[in-house]
Amino acid sequence: MKVAVIGARGQLGTDLVKVFGPDVCAALTHQDIEVTDRDSVTAVLATHRPDVVINTAAFHQVDACEDDPEKAWRVNALGARNVAAAAAELGAACIYISTDYVFDGEKGAPYSEDDPPRPLNTYGITKLAGEHYTMLCPRYYVARVASLFGAAGASGKGGNFVETMVKKARAGEPVRVIDDVFMSPTYTADAARLIRYIVTEGLPSGTYHVTNGGVCSWYEFAAAIFRLLGLRVDLASIKSASLAQKAKRPRCSALTSSRLQDAGIRPWEEALEAYLREKGHLAGA
């Protein structure tokens, strides 16, 4: 089996390359392939002839998507269509990395794969369109992730939430974090492992929620980081309405999976501790 990972230097893409291994994985960066260019996608994938294509490419800066909806559509929707079409021509499976932001956050409980999407912002709308375009490939998987943190850091965002919290705490800065938005923090190493599980177990085409288990607010997540590191921080909660954000966010976009119960999903607290060890913030193996 040969796997092509598009967006191989991103936070999730880096861990996907690790879990599949260099012997079977073609690691494709933005310099190697341009998802918005159908000819580029077709030519590059035809050269590598993968059995599985994992498309992590995305314009995921949520507020920036409101400023440039055309770019968001080109990358998140039409890019997905181009990748799915090329994969179909090769007889390959296509995996599209989507988001919890396809939901409106009004359910009051974690969303499962069977819940109907209702995005609130341009990012969520274009990602949902990308999901539907991916379904044009006969062998497809939509893998929804959420609130990612990984050793490579987020492409285009500079680091991730955990690293931002650690940096502020160690600089002695006061930390203010919203407490009225809830999500499922997800370690990219775990998300990559779950995607590999989907592929190697030959699970049926469909949509899968690929997150760590559990729900918390961003404030609770920050508090857990500081607690694990033993840091004393001037931490206080604020409300999301106090932030100047162009895009409307779902109040609770936590995800749960009804289709990966046998895959060994671990709680986000354990995943966070593993991440902090990987990054060298915590001693021990």
Side-chain angles (χ1 to χ4, degrees), residues 156-176:
K157 292 185 177 179
N160 57 46
F161 181 82
V162 181
E163 294 305 312
T164 298
M165 292 298 101
V166 173
K167 183 178 179 180
K168 284 180 175 292
R170 289 183 171 161
E173 298 179 21
V175 179
R176 304 292 179 259

Side-chain angles (χ1 to χ4, degrees), residues 5 11 43 50 100 105 121 164 179 181 195-196 224:
V5 176
Q11 198 164 213
D100 54 331
N121 53 47
T164 298
D179 67 357
V181 173
I195 291 168
R196 183 185 61 183

Side-chain angles (χ1 to χ4, degrees), residues 178-235:
I178 55 176
D179 67 357
D180 58 349
V181 173
F182 298 83
M183 43 75 200
S184 298
T186 300
Y187 184 23
T188 53
D190 285 351
R193 180 185 59 79
L194 290 170
I195 291 168
R196 183 185 61 183
Y197 175 89
I198 291 169
V199 172
T200 57
E201 293 296 316
L203 297 187
S205 289
T207 298
Y208 294 84
H209 286 177
V210 180
T211 64
N212 285 115
V215 182
C216 67
S217 70
W218 287 102
Y219 175 83
E220 291 168 328
F221 190 34
I225 295 166
F226 302 141
R227 183 172 63 252
L228 284 167
L229 295 177
L231 294 173
R232 298 185 64 180
V233 181
D234 177 8
L235 172 65

Side-chain angles (χ1 to χ4, degrees), residues 18-260:
K18 287 180 183 177
V19 299
F20 281 102
D23 292 340
V24 301
C25 193
L28 303 175
T29 69
H30 188 248
Q31 287 69 41
D32 299 317
I33 188 169
E34 174 53 68
V35 296
T36 63
D37 183 340
R38 174 67 180 272
D39 292 338
S40 169
V41 173
T42 300
V44 173
L45 293 183
T47 297
H48 291 281
R49 303 199 66 81
D51 302 295
V52 178
V53 181
I54 306 177
N55 180 17
T56 78
F59 183 27
H60 48 57
Q61 294 166 289
V62 180
D63 288 329
C65 286
E66 298 298 316
D67 291 328
D68 195 348
E70 183 179 347
K71 179 180 177 181
W73 181 261
R74 288 198 313 270
V75 177
N76 298 335
L78 300 184
R81 183 189 65 180
N82 292 337
V83 174
E89 290 174 6
L90 294 169
C94 183
I95 302 177
Y96 179 67
I97 306 303
S98 191
T99 174
D100 54 331
Y101 274 27
V102 299
F103 296 108
D104 65 7
E106 296 303 317
K107 180 181 177 181
Y111 289 92
S112 75
E113 291 93 342
D114 296 321
D115 286 314
R118 186 176 178 269
L120 298 176
N121 53 47
T122 299
Y123 173 63
I125 291 167
T126 58
K127 291 297 286 185
L128 180 59
E131 291 187 6
H132 286 287
Y133 276 130
T134 299
M135 294 174 190
L136 297 175
C137 184
R139 295 171 58 213
Y140 79 88
Y141 300 93
V142 170
R144 292 183 183 139
V145 299
S147 307
L148 296 176
F149 57 95
S155 174
K157 292 185 177 179
N160 57 46
F161 181 82
V162 181
E163 294 305 312
T164 298
M165 292 298 101
V166 173
K167 183 178 179 180
K168 284 180 175 292
R170 289 183 171 161
E173 298 179 21
V175 179
R176 304 292 179 259
V177 184
I178 55 176
D179 67 357
D180 58 349
V181 173
F182 298 83
M183 43 75 200
S184 298
T186 300
Y187 184 23
T188 53
D190 285 351
R193 180 185 59 79
L194 290 170
I195 291 168
R196 183 185 61 183
Y197 175 89
I198 291 169
V199 172
T200 57
E201 293 296 316
L203 297 187
S205 289
T207 298
Y208 294 84
H209 286 177
V210 180
T211 64
N212 285 115
V215 182
C216 67
S217 70
W218 287 102
Y219 175 83
E220 291 168 328
F221 190 34
I225 295 166
F226 302 141
R227 183 172 63 252
L228 284 167
L229 295 177
L231 294 173
R232 298 185 64 180
V233 181
D234 177 8
L235 172 65
S237 62
I238 59 174
K239 300 303 178 184
S240 55
S242 67
L243 302 179
Q245 296 178 311
K246 291 186 177 181
K248 187 175 182 180
R249 268 76 166 173
R251 184 180 60 85
C252 179
S253 59
L255 303 181
T256 188
S257 179
S258 61
R259 300 174 182 172
L260 293 174

